[in-house]
Amino acid sequence: MILREIKIRWKSLLFWAIGFAFMIIGGMTKFDTFSAGGSQDLNQFIQSMPRIMRIIYGMEGIDISTFTGYFGLLLLYVLIMASIHGAFLGASLIHQEFKDRTADFLFVKPMSRDHILLRKLGSGLVMILILEAVIAACCFYVFNESGQLPLFGKTLAATLATHVFFFGLGFLFTVLLPKSRQGQQLALVIILVSYLSISLSQLYDQPWIRNLSPIGWYYARLYQSGTSELWLAGGILLTLSLGFLVLAIVRFRRKDIPN
């Protein structure tokens, strides 16, 4: 079943992999250009923009003349991409069976629903790990070229924890809501709220607002936090993710298969 899921989604997986590679490597190529041409001039240009525009694009208070400042801004968009992929993947694992009218066949096989769901979840996690391997390779290249390898572990931990968190959330929403498509829609709303929390925190100068979402916390504090704080944040996210998945499995045992 795991290989079947990967074969079905390999094109989508390829497009996401290209997207992550383009965002990370292509984005950091721009940093090299800015550095060669004087990134302080770009800082001045950004400061000349209306404050509301800087807030919308996550540029408020960011010094992009430094590697951590520029990549920290780039990381925001990488985390958003990871959260969208994770949420939609988690929500579509079951929804796709209902959409293709294969749920009746799948769930009357001589195996328990738990067994089927665990294989579905396993296939989803394998696909996440494939994309995380792409992200890791791109980040390693960028950090190695820039002499910033100590940031590699933190960055990979942030993308993986965010990826898995929204995967579990999307899967849970699909199981809990009466119509499976609503799970994708609600997961997208949660991601949008997470992004808006960053804008609101900058607009009203209330840092605690952005800390309510994993995207906002990692965006604001990843490269300023210590190892213990990073492990704590990652542990909380992964624990919540596991809780989402367990709750979804328990709830799905009593879920009727829609026609």
Side-chain angles (χ1 to χ4, degrees), residues 37-38 55 65 85-86 96 101-102 107 115 122 124 127-129 140 160 165 168 173 190 214 218 236 246 259:
I55 289 174
S65 66
H85 174 264
Q96 192 66 36
R101 303 292 182 180
T102 56
F107 290 105
H115 186 71
M127 285 183 273
I128 286 176
L129 290 177
F140 182 84
L160 178 61
F165 175 82
F173 286 158
I190 297 296
Y218 281 128
I236 292 174
V246 171
N259 296 318

Side-chain angles (χ1 to χ4, degrees), residues 51-231:
R51 182 169 181 262
I52 188 64
M53 289 187 64
R54 298 199 304 270
I55 289 174
I56 290 174
Y57 291 106
M59 298 178 177
E60 179 70 3
I62 300 295
D63 181 7
I64 64 171
S65 66
T66 65
F67 179 90
T68 54
Y70 186 91
F71 192 83
L73 177 61
L74 194 65
L75 179 66
L76 170 62
Y77 299 105
V78 173
L79 291 176
I80 291 174
M81 289 176 63
S83 62
I84 292 174
H85 174 264
F88 274 58
L89 177 62
S92 65
L93 285 176
I94 299 299
H95 170 68
Q96 192 66 36
E97 301 295 341
F98 297 146
K99 179 181 177 181
D100 296 341
R101 303 292 182 180
T102 56
D104 290 322
F105 169 76
L106 181 63
F107 290 105
V108 295
K109 281 188 171 185
M111 61 179 67
S112 67
R113 284 191 175 191
D114 288 358
H115 186 71
I116 294 174
L117 284 184
L118 288 175
R119 289 195 174 190
K120 284 276 187 180
L121 292 175
S123 65
L125 291 174
V126 167
M127 285 183 273
I128 286 176
L129 290 177
I130 291 174
L131 287 182
E132 286 295 321
V134 173
I135 294 172
C138 294
C139 288
F140 182 84
Y141 171 78
V142 168
F143 293 151
N144 187 54
E145 289 292 312
S146 306
Q148 300 287 342
L149 272 181
L151 301 178
F152 175 74
K154 286 185 174 184
T155 304
L156 195 59
T159 59
L160 178 61
T162 304
H163 218 153
V164 174
F165 175 82
F166 282 98
F167 170 75
L169 199 61
F171 190 82
L172 176 62
F173 286 158
T174 300
V175 172
L176 291 181
L177 296 175
K179 294 183 179 179
S180 298
R181 185 178 296 276
Q182 294 176 346
Q184 293 178 329
Q185 296 170 347
L186 184 55
L188 189 59
V189 169
I190 297 296
I191 295 170
L192 179 60
V193 171
S194 297
Y195 182 75
L196 289 177
S197 70
I198 299 173
S199 300
L200 289 175
S201 70
Q202 294 180 346
L203 182 62
Y204 296 106
D205 195 22
Q206 297 291 332
W208 65 270
I209 299 178
R210 67 188 174 206
N211 292 337
L212 297 177
S213 76
I215 297 176
W217 191 92
Y218 281 128
Y219 163 69
R221 304 183 62 177
L222 178 63
Y223 298 133
Q224 288 76 39
S225 61
T227 304
S228 59
E229 190 177 4
L230 181 64
W231 277 106

Side-chain angles (χ1 to χ4, degrees), residues 1-9 119 123 126:
M1 186 179 294
I2 293 177
L3 290 178
R4 169 181 172 270
E5 290 289 338
I6 295 177
K7 287 180 181 179
I8 291 174
R9 303 170 189 269
R119 289 195 174 190
S123 65
V126 167

